[in-house]
Amino acid sequence: MDLEQESTIAVDTGMTKDISTSCNKLIETQKEIATIEEKLKTTKEIERTLSEQTIPNLMRKAGVTMLKLADGQVVEISPKYYAKIPATKTEEAFSWLRQHGHEDIIKNDVSLSFGMKQDNEAKSLVEDLKNKGFNVKQKTHVHHGTLSGFVKEQVLEGKTIPHDLFGVYVADKTKITVKD
C-alpha cells in the first residue's frame, strides 16, 4: 500500500444517533442508581435508629422488654454485640487474647488457612519454614463473628475485657415477629 494514499473509513451517521441515545440512557440510568443507593443508605440509617434507639428507649420508659401488638406481632428488645479490632490495635489485641488464654479464637493464614484453636501450630510452622529459608507471609486475624460472639460471652459472664482493643459496640436491637 502506498503511504501517500489515504484510507477512507465509512461511518454510518445514522448509527451515531442510536449510540448517542443509548449513551444518554446509560447516564440517566447511572444517575438513577446513585439516587436509589443514596435513598437506601438513608433508609437503612432510619431503620437502625428506630431499631437501636427510638423503640428500645420508648420500651425502657414503658418498663417493658416485650410487647404484643393488636395485630399479633410481638416486639422484643435484646442486646446485640458487635466487635471489630481496630487496625492500629491488632498486635495489642492479639497479645491480650494470648495472655488471657483466648488465643484459640485467633486464626493464622500461611499460604494455607489455619482454623480456630490452631494458633500455636501456625506459629510453629512459620518458624520452621523461616528456619529452612522460605519467605513466609503470615496473616493473623479473628473473624468478626467469632470476635462478636466472644465479646458477648465475656460480657454475659461478667468478665472485664478492654472495649477499646476490640471495638466493642453493644446495641439494643428491636425484633418484630408474628406469633401464631
Side-chain angles (χ1 to χ4, degrees):
M1 179 172 170
D2 190 324
L3 291 175
E4 293 178 11
Q5 192 178 24
E6 288 187 28
S7 295
T8 306
I9 299 174
V11 176
D12 183 350
T13 55
M15 293 299 296
T16 58
K17 182 179 179 197
D18 291 341
I19 294 170
S20 177
T21 301
S22 293
C23 287
N24 288 331
K25 176 91 171 133
L26 173 60
I27 291 168
E28 288 303 313
T29 302
Q30 289 171 336
K31 287 178 183 177
E32 186 178 350
I33 289 169
T35 300
I36 291 169
E37 287 176 341
E38 186 58 37
K39 175 74 173 159
L40 178 61
K41 181 180 170 185
T42 301
T43 304
K44 283 184 174 186
E45 183 58 29
I46 292 169
E47 184 270 343
R48 189 192 65 74
T49 300
L50 286 167
S51 177
E52 294 180 8
Q53 296 172 9
T54 306
I55 295 170
N57 288 342
L58 289 169
M59 289 183 69
R60 264 191 295 282
K61 284 180 185 176
V64 295
T65 58
M66 185 183 78
L67 183 67
K68 186 171 184 176
L69 303 176
D71 64 0
Q73 295 183 93
V74 175
V75 181
E76 296 178 89
I77 305 300
S78 59
K80 178 76 174 163
Y81 296 83
Y82 302 93
K84 182 179 181 204
I85 298 171
T88 58
K89 301 198 181 238
T90 302
E91 287 307 314
E92 191 178 351
F94 285 0
S95 178
W96 186 94
L97 288 169
R98 288 179 178 115
Q99 289 172 3
H100 291 85
H102 302 293
E103 64 277 352
D104 56 338
I105 71 168
I106 299 172
K107 292 179 76 174
N108 274 281
D109 292 331
V110 183
S111 297
L112 56 113
S113 186
F114 284 76
M116 297 186 326
K117 299 183 181 181
Q118 293 181 315
D119 186 43
N120 291 333
E121 290 90 341
K123 288 192 305 187
S124 176
L125 177 60
V126 168
E127 286 305 310
D128 287 347
L129 291 172
K130 283 181 180 178
N131 289 337
K132 292 178 180 176
F134 293 101
N135 183 14
V136 178
K137 302 245 187 281
Q138 179 182 21
K139 177 185 174 192
T140 55
H141 59 98
V142 177
H143 187 272
H144 67 89
T146 301
L147 183 61
S148 294
F150 166 76
V151 166
K152 177 181 179 180
E153 177 184 283
Q154 297 302 300
V155 170
L156 293 178
E157 291 178 6
K159 296 180 180 171
T160 303
I161 59 169
H163 286 216
D164 62 322
L165 286 184
F166 301 114
V168 175
Y169 171 66
V170 180
D172 286 328
K173 291 289 279 187
T174 302
K175 181 180 177 186
I176 301 175
T177 54
V178 177
K179 298 270 181 161
D180 294 321

